[in-house]
Amino acid sequence: MKTALTIAGSDSSGGAGIQADLKTMTMNGVYAMSAITALTAQNTTGVRAIMEVTPEFLQQQIDAVFEDIRPDAVKIGMVSSGELIRVIAERLRFYRAGNVVVDPVMVATSGSALMKTDAVQTLMDELLPLAELVTPNIPEAEILSGMSIRTAEDMEKAAKQISGDRHCAVLLKGGHSINDANDLLCEDGKITWFEGKRIDNPNTHGTGCTLSSAIAANLAKGFALDESVRRAKEYISGALGAMLDLGKGAGPMKHNFDLNSRFAEEAN
Ligand SMILES: Nc1ncnc2c1ncn2[C@@H]1O[C@H](COP(=O)(O)OP(=O)(O)O)[C@@H](O)[C@H]1O
Ligand SMILES: Cc1ncc(COP(=O)(O)OP(=O)(O)O)c(N)n1
């Protein structure tokens, strides 16, 4: 069985972070493992508190995984400080990790900051050059590229700039644009658009975490980058389209929407 590791923060409400990643990787057919960077006390209405792990403890988790069950892909999500980012980069270099997908989580949809401002430069300098793919949403791409993004042409320009500067492929996600949910992949200077019909569902908590984990799972299974993105878009459209409605705010998606086993029958 192929394997994947998520290095990210825990979301107590289960819709984003480590919890979304483990569900997504499992549903996409790989064995899922985790190294937790921080605990968050959050629900569908917002983040109440964050408790970071120490750099030493993060390193111990990563070492414990790599020394035993080597991951075929690694997804990186919320990492709030430069110190933790440096530990991850050093360990990934040490283990020569492949299929690294970085979701540069900076601010939750609810408005809470999930990365310290002074960690952004460390992310760009240390982690992005190790990534096969980085998956910013529009506000994150504005920070990484230093330009404002209003149009599809702006998206192409920003993706090319980040990709050229950091030597990694970029998937710029269009979930925050007012039109359809169209994402663009910039790989070695080549632009490919992935068109997604916008699903009229306000429950989008964890969409970024879910997409990047689904891409990592498909890379672990050996699919090429563009095919992994296509499969991940199909998965997230299914999870959003299942119209789960939980919580008082922007709720989670139905990660197990396409389970057709006996267990799913029981869960429905
Ligand atoms: N309402 C929606 N309908 C269909 N796809 C969506 C919707 N909202 C977001 N997506 C998709 O979910 C993925 C995550 O996008 P986005 O919401 O921009 O990321 P983030 O959660 O990091 O802000 C992208 O593939 C995006 O196109
Ligand atoms: C622990 C944790 N990690 C990441 C997020 C943000 O999730 P993401 O899918 O990028 O975006 P939204 O859910 O904010 O749309 C989080 N909230 N918690």
Side-chain angles (χ1 to χ4, degrees):
M1 188 171 195
K2 297 296 184 187
T3 61
L5 167 66
T6 167
I7 305 177
S10 160
D11 168 8
S12 50
S13 67
I18 287 282
Q19 289 81 353
D21 298 344
L22 294 176
K23 290 180 220 180
T24 300
M25 288 171 175
T26 303
M27 287 302 298
N28 281 269
V30 300
Y31 180 76
M33 301 174 282
S34 64
I36 298 183
T37 58
L39 303 178
T40 71
Q42 70 172 295
N43 60 25
T44 62
T45 67
V47 181
R48 297 180 181 188
I50 298 176
M51 185 191 279
E52 259 189 16
V53 302
T54 62
E56 295 73 26
F57 191 70
L58 180 59
Q59 171 163 350
Q60 288 205 33
Q61 294 178 75
I62 296 170
D63 287 343
V65 170
F66 270 91
E67 287 170 17
D68 189 24
I69 305 175
R70 186 181 166 84
D72 295 302
V74 180
K75 173 251 158 93
I76 298 163
M78 172 192 170
V79 192
S80 46
S81 73
E83 249 184 315
L84 292 179
I85 292 170
R86 274 189 283 274
V87 166
I88 296 168
E90 191 279 319
R91 288 289 92 185
L92 294 184
R93 278 193 294 265
F94 179 80
Y95 291 112
R96 298 181 194 281
N99 293 328
V100 176
V101 178
V102 177
D103 183 12
V105 177
M106 294 178 190
V107 180
T109 308
S110 56
S112 309
L114 297 175
M115 183 187 288
K116 293 172 189 153
T117 332
D118 60 3
V120 174
Q121 195 60 47
T122 316
L123 175 94
M124 291 201 281
D125 294 342
E126 297 276 333
L127 219 41
L128 297 197
L130 302 175
E132 163 102 20
L133 178 71
V134 57
T135 63
N137 59 26
I138 290 176
E140 290 156 355
E142 291 187 319
I143 292 170
L144 296 178
S145 66
M147 59 175 276
S148 81
I149 301 173
R150 299 272 174 276
T151 62
E153 289 70 38
D154 291 343
M155 283 175 75
E156 294 193 5
K157 213 168 144 192
K160 278 186 178 163
Q161 187 175 315
I162 300 165
S163 178
D165 287 351
R166 305 294 156 187
H167 307 289
C168 59
V170 175
L171 182 73
L172 209 168
K173 300 172 293 190
H176 291 250
S177 72
I178 45 171
N179 301 317
D180 272 336
N182 298 334
D183 305 343
L184 88 81
L185 176 66
C186 176
E187 188 182 11
D188 298 326
K190 184 183 152 215
I191 297 286
T192 310
W193 279 94
F194 292 85
E195 304 200 340
K197 202 172 139 356
R198 177 166 295 281
I199 296 161
D200 190 13
N201 183 351
N203 297 310
T204 55
H205 181 58
T207 45
C209 303
T210 299
L211 185 79
S212 51
S213 295
I215 296 170
N218 283 291
L219 288 173
K221 289 191 288 185
F223 290 104
L225 184 56
D226 55 351
E227 177 62 9
S228 296
V229 173
R230 195 195 63 72
R231 293 170 71 99
K233 284 285 282 180
E234 200 179 314
Y235 174 74
I236 201 160
S237 298
L240 269 171
M243 305 303 279
L244 183 64
D245 189 12
L246 294 174
K248 299 187 178 79
M253 290 172 289
K254 191 170 184 196
H255 287 98
N256 61 348
F257 71 97
D258 72 347
L259 269 183
N260 50 14
S261 68
R262 177 168 62 85
F263 304 105
E265 303 281 357
E266 287 164 7
N268 283 327

